[in-house]
Amino acid sequence: KVKERKEIIADLKNKIGSAAKPVVYIKIDEQHISQPSVDPAAQTEMQLICKELGFTVTENPDDADIKITGEGFSEFATRKGDIVSVKARLEVKAADKDGNVVAVDRQTDVSAGTAEQTTAKAALQEASAQIAERLIPKIVKK
């Protein structure tokens, strides 16, 4: 079952409770195979979820307690009539200031729609949300 963002946020709020939230820097590169990628859907989703949970998200990696970095790609899978499907894979890790890896995760997702690039972004966004649900509880200080 795919959870909606509000369900993910609610579940995460319950899991992390009042734990101290580190300052996070998030940089997730992505590409759509055979076409340039115009915006960072996976990175934006991870930042949005962190902000909704009350984390400070910084654009300066030197200010971060935790650096969440990763790479993702998407590619055309199939077409049936006007509907296109795209498959995406995202790999993310979280490291502390000393470079110690705190958490690592990966997710593959498939999305269908009428526009290939938008569908690719949706698949990466969903993969990022699923990773966030598992990764964020591992980076808070209990």
Side-chain angles (χ1 to χ4, degrees), residues 62-99:
D62 296 332
D63 294 339
D65 299 313
I66 297 287
K67 295 176 188 169
I68 299 172
T69 59
E71 295 180 345
F73 73 91
S74 57
E75 62 183 323
F76 171 83
T78 189
R79 177 179 299 277
K80 183 157 180 124
D82 291 336
I83 304 299
V84 63
S85 70
V86 175
K87 192 165 191 174
R89 176 153 175 97
L90 183 61
E91 298 175 356
V92 174
K93 69 178 175 182
D96 65 17
K97 284 186 176 231
D98 297 324

PDB file of all heavy atoms in Angstrom, residues 62-99:
ATOM      1  N   ASP A  62      28.321  22.673   5.313  1.00  0.00           N
ATOM      2  CA  ASP A  62      29.173  22.883   6.488  1.00  0.00           C
ATOM      3  C   ASP A  62      28.373  23.167   7.757  1.00  0.00           C
ATOM      4  O   ASP A  62      28.888  23.012   8.860  1.00  0.00           O
ATOM      5  CB  ASP A  62      30.144  24.039   6.232  1.00  0.00           C
ATOM      6  CG  ASP A  62      31.123  23.730   5.110  1.00  0.00           C
ATOM      7  OD1 ASP A  62      31.430  22.532   4.898  1.00  0.00           O
ATOM      8  OD2 ASP A  62      31.563  24.676   4.435  1.00  0.00           O
ATOM      9  N   ASP A  63      27.121  23.599   7.609  1.00  0.00           N
ATOM     10  CA  ASP A  63      26.268  23.900   8.757  1.00  0.00           C
ATOM     11  C   ASP A  63      25.484  22.682   9.254  1.00  0.00           C
ATOM     12  O   ASP A  63      24.797  22.759  10.261  1.00  0.00           O
ATOM     13  CB  ASP A  63      25.260  25.003   8.401  1.00  0.00           C
ATOM     14  CG  ASP A  63      25.927  26.337   8.133  1.00  0.00           C
ATOM     15  OD1 ASP A  63      27.069  26.535   8.591  1.00  0.00           O
ATOM     16  OD2 ASP A  63      25.298  27.176   7.453  1.00  0.00           O
ATOM     17  N   ALA A  64      25.579  21.575   8.542  1.00  0.00           N
ATOM     18  CA  ALA A  64      24.730  20.418   8.830  1.00  0.00           C
ATOM     19  C   ALA A  64      25.330  19.476   9.861  1.00  0.00           C
ATOM     20  O   ALA A  64      26.535  19.250   9.888  1.00  0.00           O
ATOM     21  CB  ALA A  64      24.466  19.651   7.539  1.00  0.00           C
ATOM     22  N   ASP A  65      24.451  18.920  10.693  1.00  0.00           N
ATOM     23  CA  ASP A  65      24.825  17.825  11.586  1.00  0.00           C
ATOM     24  C   ASP A  65      24.798  16.508  10.814  1.00  0.00           C
ATOM     25  O   ASP A  65      25.579  15.602  11.072  1.00  0.00           O
ATOM     26  CB  ASP A  65      23.848  17.727  12.760  1.00  0.00           C
ATOM     27  CG  ASP A  65      23.823  18.983  13.602  1.00  0.00           C
ATOM     28  OD1 ASP A  65      24.919  19.489  13.936  1.00  0.00           O
ATOM     29  OD2 ASP A  65      22.727  19.477  13.906  1.00  0.00           O
ATOM     30  N   ILE A  66      23.853  16.415   9.885  1.00  0.00           N
ATOM     31  CA  ILE A  66      23.675  15.221   9.061  1.00  0.00           C
ATOM     32  C   ILE A  66      23.588  15.647   7.601  1.00  0.00           C
ATOM     33  O   ILE A  66      22.832  16.554   7.252  1.00  0.00           O
ATOM     34  CB  ILE A  66      22.388  14.451   9.438  1.00  0.00           C
ATOM     35  CG1 ILE A  66      22.446  13.933  10.882  1.00  0.00           C
ATOM     36  CG2 ILE A  66      22.109  13.310   8.460  1.00  0.00           C
ATOM     37  CD1 ILE A  66      23.378  12.758  11.109  1.00  0.00           C
ATOM     38  N   LYS A  67      24.350  14.961   6.747  1.00  0.00           N
ATOM     39  CA  LYS A  67      24.282  15.195   5.297  1.00  0.00           C
ATOM     40  C   LYS A  67      23.600  13.993   4.659  1.00  0.00           C
ATOM     41  O   LYS A  67      24.082  12.864   4.777  1.00  0.00           O
ATOM     42  CB  LYS A  67      25.678  15.375   4.710  1.00  0.00           C
ATOM     43  CG  LYS A  67      26.377  16.607   5.210  1.00  0.00           C
ATOM     44  CD  LYS A  67      27.802  16.674   4.675  1.00  0.00           C
ATOM     45  CE  LYS A  67      28.527  17.816   5.362  1.00  0.00           C
ATOM     46  NZ  LYS A  67      29.958  17.812   5.114  1.00  0.00           N
ATOM     47  N   ILE A  68      22.470  14.264   4.034  1.00  0.00           N
ATOM     48  CA  ILE A  68      21.741  13.223   3.324  1.00  0.00           C
ATOM     49  C   ILE A  68      22.051  13.418   1.842  1.00  0.00           C
ATOM     50  O   ILE A  68      21.704  14.444   1.261  1.00  0.00           O
ATOM     51  CB  ILE A  68      20.221  13.315   3.586  1.00  0.00           C
ATOM     52  CG1 ILE A  68      19.935  13.128   5.085  1.00  0.00           C
ATOM     53  CG2 ILE A  68      19.472  12.276   2.752  1.00  0.00           C
ATOM     54  CD1 ILE A  68      18.499  13.395   5.479  1.00  0.00           C
ATOM     55  N   THR A  69      22.722  12.450   1.261  1.00  0.00           N
ATOM     56  CA  THR A  69      23.112  12.540  -0.139  1.00  0.00           C
ATOM     57  C   THR A  69      22.682  11.285  -0.877  1.00  0.00           C
ATOM     58  O   THR A  69      22.458  10.241  -0.267  1.00  0.00           O
ATOM     59  CB  THR A  69      24.639  12.719  -0.281  1.00  0.00           C
ATOM     60  OG1 THR A  69      25.300  11.614   0.336  1.00  0.00           O
ATOM     61  CG2 THR A  69      25.109  14.014   0.362  1.00  0.00           C
ATOM     62  N   GLY A  70      22.585  11.422  -2.178  1.00  0.00           N
ATOM     63  CA  GLY A  70      22.221  10.247  -2.939  1.00  0.00           C
ATOM     64  C   GLY A  70      22.142  10.508  -4.423  1.00  0.00           C
ATOM     65  O   GLY A  70      22.430  11.613  -4.896  1.00  0.00           O
ATOM     66  N   GLU A  71      21.736   9.478  -5.119  1.00  0.00           N
ATOM     67  CA  GLU A  71      21.576   9.542  -6.561  1.00  0.00           C
ATOM     68  C   GLU A  71      20.336   8.753  -6.950  1.00  0.00           C
ATOM     69  O   GLU A  71      20.010   7.739  -6.333  1.00  0.00           O
ATOM     70  CB  GLU A  71      22.788   8.932  -7.268  1.00  0.00           C
ATOM     71  CG  GLU A  71      24.063   9.697  -7.050  1.00  0.00           C
ATOM     72  CD  GLU A  71      25.247   9.078  -7.761  1.00  0.00           C
ATOM     73  OE1 GLU A  71      25.173   7.907  -8.195  1.00  0.00           O
ATOM     74  OE2 GLU A  71      26.258   9.767  -7.893  1.00  0.00           O
ATOM     75  N   GLY A  72      19.687   9.240  -7.982  1.00  0.00           N
ATOM     76  CA  GLY A  72      18.523   8.547  -8.492  1.00  0.00           C
ATOM     77  C   GLY A  72      18.479   8.647 -10.003  1.00  0.00           C
ATOM     78  O   GLY A  72      19.057   9.552 -10.591  1.00  0.00           O
ATOM     79  N   PHE A  73      17.811   7.691 -10.600  1.00  0.00           N
ATOM     80  CA  PHE A  73      17.598   7.770 -12.038  1.00  0.00           C
ATOM     81  C   PHE A  73      16.229   7.194 -12.365  1.00  0.00           C
ATOM     82  O   PHE A  73      15.655   6.428 -11.587  1.00  0.00           O
ATOM     83  CB  PHE A  73      18.707   7.059 -12.822  1.00  0.00           C
ATOM     84  CG  PHE A  73      18.653   5.555 -12.760  1.00  0.00           C
ATOM     85  CD1 PHE A  73      17.950   4.828 -13.707  1.00  0.00           C
ATOM     86  CD2 PHE A  73      19.302   4.877 -11.742  1.00  0.00           C
ATOM     87  CE1 PHE A  73      17.899   3.439 -13.645  1.00  0.00           C
ATOM     88  CE2 PHE A  73      19.254   3.494 -11.673  1.00  0.00           C
ATOM     89  CZ  PHE A  73      18.556   2.769 -12.624  1.00  0.00           C
ATOM     90  N   SER A  74      15.735   7.599 -13.479  1.00  0.00           N
ATOM     91  CA  SER A  74      14.461   7.074 -13.969  1.00  0.00           C
ATOM     92  C   SER A  74      14.630   6.759 -15.442  1.00  0.00           C
ATOM     93  O   SER A  74      15.504   7.313 -16.116  1.00  0.00           O
ATOM     94  CB  SER A  74      13.338   8.096 -13.759  1.00  0.00           C
ATOM     95  OG  SER A  74      13.663   9.322 -14.392  1.00  0.00           O
ATOM     96  N   GLU A  75      13.794   5.856 -15.922  1.00  0.00           N
ATOM     97  CA  GLU A  75      13.832   5.534 -17.338  1.00  0.00           C
ATOM     98  C   GLU A  75      12.476   5.036 -17.812  1.00  0.00           C
ATOM     99  O   GLU A  75      11.691   4.488 -17.038  1.00  0.00           O
ATOM    100  CB  GLU A  75      14.925   4.517 -17.653  1.00  0.00           C
ATOM    101  CG  GLU A  75      14.775   3.175 -17.004  1.00  0.00           C
ATOM    102  CD  GLU A  75      15.939   2.254 -17.303  1.00  0.00           C
ATOM    103  OE1 GLU A  75      16.466   2.297 -18.434  1.00  0.00           O
ATOM    104  OE2 GLU A  75      16.329   1.499 -16.417  1.00  0.00           O
ATOM    105  N   PHE A  76      12.225   5.272 -19.071  1.00  0.00           N
ATOM    106  CA  PHE A  76      11.004   4.813 -19.715  1.00  0.00           C
ATOM    107  C   PHE A  76      10.908   3.308 -19.562  1.00  0.00           C
ATOM    108  O   PHE A  76      11.879   2.587 -19.733  1.00  0.00           O
ATOM    109  CB  PHE A  76      11.048   5.208 -21.203  1.00  0.00           C
ATOM    110  CG  PHE A  76       9.942   4.610 -22.019  1.00  0.00           C
ATOM    111  CD1 PHE A  76       8.696   5.212 -22.050  1.00  0.00           C
ATOM    112  CD2 PHE A  76      10.150   3.457 -22.746  1.00  0.00           C
ATOM    113  CE1 PHE A  76       7.666   4.671 -22.804  1.00  0.00           C
ATOM    114  CE2 PHE A  76       9.127   2.908 -23.508  1.00  0.00           C
ATOM    115  CZ  PHE A  76       7.882   3.514 -23.537  1.00  0.00           C
ATOM    116  N   ALA A  77       9.710   2.822 -19.239  1.00  0.00           N
ATOM    117  CA  ALA A  77       9.502   1.384 -19.099  1.00  0.00           C
ATOM    118  C   ALA A  77       8.642   0.851 -20.249  1.00  0.00           C
ATOM    119  O   ALA A  77       9.058  -0.027 -20.988  1.00  0.00           O
ATOM    120  CB  ALA A  77       8.870   1.058 -17.755  1.00  0.00           C
ATOM    121  N   THR A  78       7.432   1.409 -20.402  1.00  0.00           N
ATOM    122  CA  THR A  78       6.545   0.939 -21.469  1.00  0.00           C
ATOM    123  C   THR A  78       5.470   1.974 -21.763  1.00  0.00           C
ATOM    124  O   THR A  78       5.249   2.898 -20.987  1.00  0.00           O
ATOM    125  CB  THR A  78       5.906  -0.418 -21.090  1.00  0.00           C
ATOM    126  OG1 THR A  78       5.227  -0.958 -22.217  1.00  0.00           O
ATOM    127  CG2 THR A  78       4.938  -0.274 -19.935  1.00  0.00           C
ATOM    128  N   ARG A  79       4.805   1.797 -22.866  1.00  0.00           N
ATOM    129  CA  ARG A  79       3.699   2.676 -23.252  1.00  0.00           C
ATOM    130  C   ARG A  79       2.524   1.800 -23.677  1.00  0.00           C
ATOM    131  O   ARG A  79       2.686   0.811 -24.373  1.00  0.00           O
ATOM    132  CB  ARG A  79       4.106   3.572 -24.424  1.00  0.00           C
ATOM    133  CG  ARG A  79       2.978   4.475 -24.925  1.00  0.00           C
ATOM    134  CD  ARG A  79       3.410   5.362 -26.075  1.00  0.00           C
ATOM    135  NE  ARG A  79       4.496   6.258 -25.721  1.00  0.00           N
ATOM    136  CZ  ARG A  79       4.362   7.429 -25.107  1.00  0.00           C
ATOM    137  NH1 ARG A  79       3.176   7.846 -24.751  1.00  0.00           N
ATOM    138  NH2 ARG A  79       5.406   8.181 -24.854  1.00  0.00           N
ATOM    139  N   LYS A  80       1.340   2.177 -23.229  1.00  0.00           N
ATOM    140  CA  LYS A  80       0.111   1.506 -23.654  1.00  0.00           C
ATOM    141  C   LYS A  80      -0.875   2.612 -23.994  1.00  0.00           C
ATOM    142  O   LYS A  80      -1.368   3.308 -23.101  1.00  0.00           O
ATOM    143  CB  LYS A  80      -0.430   0.612 -22.556  1.00  0.00           C
ATOM    144  CG  LYS A  80      -1.668  -0.149 -23.001  1.00  0.00           C
ATOM    145  CD  LYS A  80      -1.862  -1.391 -22.188  1.00  0.00           C
ATOM    146  CE  LYS A  80      -3.101  -2.090 -22.681  1.00  0.00           C
ATOM    147  NZ  LYS A  80      -2.862  -3.425 -23.082  1.00  0.00           N
ATOM    148  N   GLY A  81      -1.103   2.831 -25.269  1.00  0.00           N
ATOM    149  CA  GLY A  81      -1.955   3.935 -25.696  1.00  0.00           C
ATOM    150  C   GLY A  81      -1.310   5.252 -25.314  1.00  0.00           C
ATOM    151  O   GLY A  81      -0.154   5.501 -25.640  1.00  0.00           O
ATOM    152  N   ASP A  82      -2.054   6.087 -24.596  1.00  0.00           N
ATOM    153  CA  ASP A  82      -1.533   7.383 -24.163  1.00  0.00           C
ATOM    154  C   ASP A  82      -0.813   7.327 -22.812  1.00  0.00           C
ATOM    155  O   ASP A  82      -0.300   8.335 -22.347  1.00  0.00           O
ATOM    156  CB  ASP A  82      -2.686   8.395 -24.048  1.00  0.00           C
ATOM    157  CG  ASP A  82      -3.263   8.763 -25.400  1.00  0.00           C
ATOM    158  OD1 ASP A  82      -2.539   8.623 -26.398  1.00  0.00           O
ATOM    159  OD2 ASP A  82      -4.424   9.194 -25.446  1.00  0.00           O
ATOM    160  N   ILE A  83      -0.786   6.161 -22.202  1.00  0.00           N
ATOM    161  CA  ILE A  83      -0.197   6.026 -20.867  1.00  0.00           C
ATOM    162  C   ILE A  83       1.233   5.502 -20.983  1.00  0.00           C
ATOM    163  O   ILE A  83       1.504   4.518 -21.658  1.00  0.00           O
ATOM    164  CB  ILE A  83      -1.033   5.066 -19.985  1.00  0.00           C
ATOM    165  CG1 ILE A  83      -2.475   5.531 -19.893  1.00  0.00           C
ATOM    166  CG2 ILE A  83      -0.400   4.910 -18.600  1.00  0.00           C
ATOM    167  CD1 ILE A  83      -2.658   6.897 -19.269  1.00  0.00           C
ATOM    168  N   VAL A  84       2.133   6.191 -20.299  1.00  0.00           N
ATOM    169  CA  VAL A  84       3.530   5.797 -20.253  1.00  0.00           C
ATOM    170  C   VAL A  84       3.860   5.368 -18.826  1.00  0.00           C
ATOM    171  O   VAL A  84       3.320   5.924 -17.872  1.00  0.00           O
ATOM    172  CB  VAL A  84       4.455   6.951 -20.720  1.00  0.00           C
ATOM    173  CG1 VAL A  84       4.340   8.146 -19.809  1.00  0.00           C
ATOM    174  CG2 VAL A  84       5.885   6.512 -20.824  1.00  0.00           C
ATOM    175  N   SER A  85       4.695   4.353 -18.698  1.00  0.00           N
ATOM    176  CA  SER A  85       5.155   3.989 -17.360  1.00  0.00           C
ATOM    177  C   SER A  85       6.665   4.207 -17.299  1.00  0.00           C
ATOM    178  O   SER A  85       7.382   4.047 -18.285  1.00  0.00           O
ATOM    179  CB  SER A  85       4.795   2.550 -16.995  1.00  0.00           C
ATOM    180  OG  SER A  85       5.548   1.636 -17.740  1.00  0.00           O
ATOM    181  N   VAL A  86       7.101   4.603 -16.109  1.00  0.00           N
ATOM    182  CA  VAL A  86       8.507   4.924 -15.868  1.00  0.00           C
ATOM    183  C   VAL A  86       8.934   4.201 -14.594  1.00  0.00           C
ATOM    184  O   VAL A  86       8.181   4.131 -13.627  1.00  0.00           O
ATOM    185  CB  VAL A  86       8.691   6.450 -15.706  1.00  0.00           C
ATOM    186  CG1 VAL A  86      10.115   6.790 -15.326  1.00  0.00           C
ATOM    187  CG2 VAL A  86       8.292   7.167 -16.978  1.00  0.00           C
ATOM    188  N   LYS A  87      10.143   3.679 -14.608  1.00  0.00           N
ATOM    189  CA  LYS A  87      10.697   3.028 -13.431  1.00  0.00           C
ATOM    190  C   LYS A  87      11.844   3.891 -12.919  1.00  0.00           C
ATOM    191  O   LYS A  87      12.625   4.420 -13.699  1.00  0.00           O
ATOM    192  CB  LYS A  87      11.202   1.626 -13.775  1.00  0.00           C
ATOM    193  CG  LYS A  87      11.516   0.789 -12.573  1.00  0.00           C
ATOM    194  CD  LYS A  87      11.659  -0.665 -12.954  1.00  0.00           C
ATOM    195  CE  LYS A  87      11.715  -1.515 -11.695  1.00  0.00           C
ATOM    196  NZ  LYS A  87      11.713  -2.934 -12.016  1.00  0.00           N
ATOM    197  N   ALA A  88      11.923   4.028 -11.601  1.00  0.00           N
ATOM    198  CA  ALA A  88      12.957   4.858 -10.987  1.00  0.00           C
ATOM    199  C   ALA A  88      13.630   4.103  -9.851  1.00  0.00           C
ATOM    200  O   ALA A  88      13.015   3.271  -9.190  1.00  0.00           O
ATOM    201  CB  ALA A  88      12.353   6.154 -10.455  1.00  0.00           C
ATOM    202  N   ARG A  89      14.891   4.419  -9.645  1.00  0.00           N
ATOM    203  CA  ARG A  89      15.647   3.858  -8.523  1.00  0.00           C
ATOM    204  C   ARG A  89      16.363   5.000  -7.820  1.00  0.00           C
ATOM    205  O   ARG A  89      16.935   5.872  -8.457  1.00  0.00           O
ATOM    206  CB  ARG A  89      16.668   2.837  -8.989  1.00  0.00           C
ATOM    207  CG  ARG A  89      17.525   2.320  -7.834  1.00  0.00           C
ATOM    208  CD  ARG A  89      18.047   0.937  -8.081  1.00  0.00           C
ATOM    209  NE  ARG A  89      18.944   0.508  -7.021  1.00  0.00           N
ATOM    210  CZ  ARG A  89      18.586  -0.241  -6.000  1.00  0.00           C
ATOM    211  NH1 ARG A  89      17.336  -0.624  -5.865  1.00  0.00           N
ATOM    212  NH2 ARG A  89      19.469  -0.616  -5.103  1.00  0.00           N
ATOM    213  N   LEU A  90      16.320   4.963  -6.490  1.00  0.00           N
ATOM    214  CA  LEU A  90      16.927   6.004  -5.675  1.00  0.00           C
ATOM    215  C   LEU A  90      17.765   5.345  -4.588  1.00  0.00           C
ATOM    216  O   LEU A  90      17.316   4.387  -3.957  1.00  0.00           O
ATOM    217  CB  LEU A  90      15.825   6.860  -5.051  1.00  0.00           C
ATOM    218  CG  LEU A  90      16.238   8.060  -4.223  1.00  0.00           C
ATOM    219  CD1 LEU A  90      17.021   9.065  -5.062  1.00  0.00           C
ATOM    220  CD2 LEU A  90      15.011   8.725  -3.624  1.00  0.00           C
ATOM    221  N   GLU A  91      18.989   5.851  -4.404  1.00  0.00           N
ATOM    222  CA  GLU A  91      19.881   5.364  -3.353  1.00  0.00           C
ATOM    223  C   GLU A  91      20.336   6.555  -2.532  1.00  0.00           C
ATOM    224  O   GLU A  91      20.782   7.561  -3.090  1.00  0.00           O
ATOM    225  CB  GLU A  91      21.068   4.629  -3.966  1.00  0.00           C
ATOM    226  CG  GLU A  91      20.627   3.411  -4.759  1.00  0.00           C
ATOM    227  CD  GLU A  91      21.757   2.704  -5.489  1.00  0.00           C
ATOM    228  OE1 GLU A  91      22.909   3.194  -5.449  1.00  0.00           O
ATOM    229  OE2 GLU A  91      21.476   1.659  -6.091  1.00  0.00           O
ATOM    230  N   VAL A  92      20.208   6.452  -1.205  1.00  0.00           N
ATOM    231  CA  VAL A  92      20.466   7.582  -0.313  1.00  0.00           C
ATOM    232  C   VAL A  92      21.259   7.103   0.898  1.00  0.00           C
ATOM    233  O   VAL A  92      21.082   5.978   1.372  1.00  0.00           O
ATOM    234  CB  VAL A  92      19.119   8.199   0.160  1.00  0.00           C
ATOM    235  CG1 VAL A  92      19.334   9.283   1.192  1.00  0.00           C
ATOM    236  CG2 VAL A  92      18.343   8.736  -1.018  1.00  0.00           C
ATOM    237  N   LYS A  93      22.150   8.001   1.387  1.00  0.00           N
ATOM    238  CA  LYS A  93      22.843   7.708   2.643  1.00  0.00           C
ATOM    239  C   LYS A  93      22.851   8.967   3.494  1.00  0.00           C
ATOM    240  O   LYS A  93      22.777  10.086   2.991  1.00  0.00           O
ATOM    241  CB  LYS A  93      24.261   7.212   2.410  1.00  0.00           C
ATOM    242  CG  LYS A  93      25.211   8.245   1.865  1.00  0.00           C
ATOM    243  CD  LYS A  93      26.608   7.671   1.703  1.00  0.00           C
ATOM    244  CE  LYS A  93      27.521   8.675   1.042  1.00  0.00           C
ATOM    245  NZ  LYS A  93      28.844   8.158   0.838  1.00  0.00           N
ATOM    246  N   ALA A  94      22.928   8.766   4.789  1.00  0.00           N
ATOM    247  CA  ALA A  94      23.023   9.862   5.750  1.00  0.00           C
ATOM    248  C   ALA A  94      24.321   9.682   6.523  1.00  0.00           C
ATOM    249  O   ALA A  94      24.600   8.596   7.036  1.00  0.00           O
ATOM    250  CB  ALA A  94      21.832   9.845   6.701  1.00  0.00           C
ATOM    251  N   ALA A  95      25.127  10.767   6.590  1.00  0.00           N
ATOM    252  CA  ALA A  95      26.406  10.715   7.296  1.00  0.00           C
ATOM    253  C   ALA A  95      26.488  11.869   8.291  1.00  0.00           C
ATOM    254  O   ALA A  95      25.952  12.953   8.041  1.00  0.00           O
ATOM    255  CB  ALA A  95      27.558  10.799   6.302  1.00  0.00           C
ATOM    256  N   ASP A  96      27.168  11.631   9.406  1.00  0.00           N
ATOM    257  CA  ASP A  96      27.331  12.687  10.406  1.00  0.00           C
ATOM    258  C   ASP A  96      28.509  13.600  10.040  1.00  0.00           C
ATOM    259  O   ASP A  96      29.169  13.399   9.013  1.00  0.00           O
ATOM    260  CB  ASP A  96      27.464  12.102  11.812  1.00  0.00           C
ATOM    261  CG  ASP A  96      28.721  11.269  12.016  1.00  0.00           C
ATOM    262  OD1 ASP A  96      29.674  11.360  11.216  1.00  0.00           O
ATOM    263  OD2 ASP A  96      28.758  10.509  13.003  1.00  0.00           O
ATOM    264  N   LYS A  97      28.790  14.582  10.905  1.00  0.00           N
ATOM    265  CA  LYS A  97      29.860  15.563  10.635  1.00  0.00           C
ATOM    266  C   LYS A  97      31.235  14.922  10.468  1.00  0.00           C
ATOM    267  O   LYS A  97      32.089  15.469   9.776  1.00  0.00           O
ATOM    268  CB  LYS A  97      29.922  16.594  11.764  1.00  0.00           C
ATOM    269  CG  LYS A  97      28.836  17.618  11.706  1.00  0.00           C
ATOM    270  CD  LYS A  97      29.049  18.675  12.764  1.00  0.00           C
ATOM    271  CE  LYS A  97      27.996  19.741  12.624  1.00  0.00           C
ATOM    272  NZ  LYS A  97      28.502  21.070  12.569  1.00  0.00           N
ATOM    273  N   ASP A  98      31.442  13.781  11.110  1.00  0.00           N
ATOM    274  CA  ASP A  98      32.727  13.095  11.018  1.00  0.00           C
ATOM    275  C   ASP A  98      32.817  12.174   9.803  1.00  0.00           C
ATOM    276  O   ASP A  98      33.834  11.502   9.616  1.00  0.00           O
ATOM    277  CB  ASP A  98      32.984  12.281  12.290  1.00  0.00           C
ATOM    278  CG  ASP A  98      33.093  13.160  13.528  1.00  0.00           C
ATOM    279  OD1 ASP A  98      33.636  14.277  13.402  1.00  0.00           O
ATOM    280  OD2 ASP A  98      32.622  12.738  14.598  1.00  0.00           O
ATOM    281  N   GLY A  99      31.749  12.129   9.019  1.00  0.00           N
ATOM    282  CA  GLY A  99      31.744  11.269   7.839  1.00  0.00           C
ATOM    283  C   GLY A  99      31.297   9.848   8.100  1.00  0.00           C
ATOM    284  O   GLY A  99      31.342   9.003   7.216  1.00  0.00           O
TER     285      GLY A  99
END
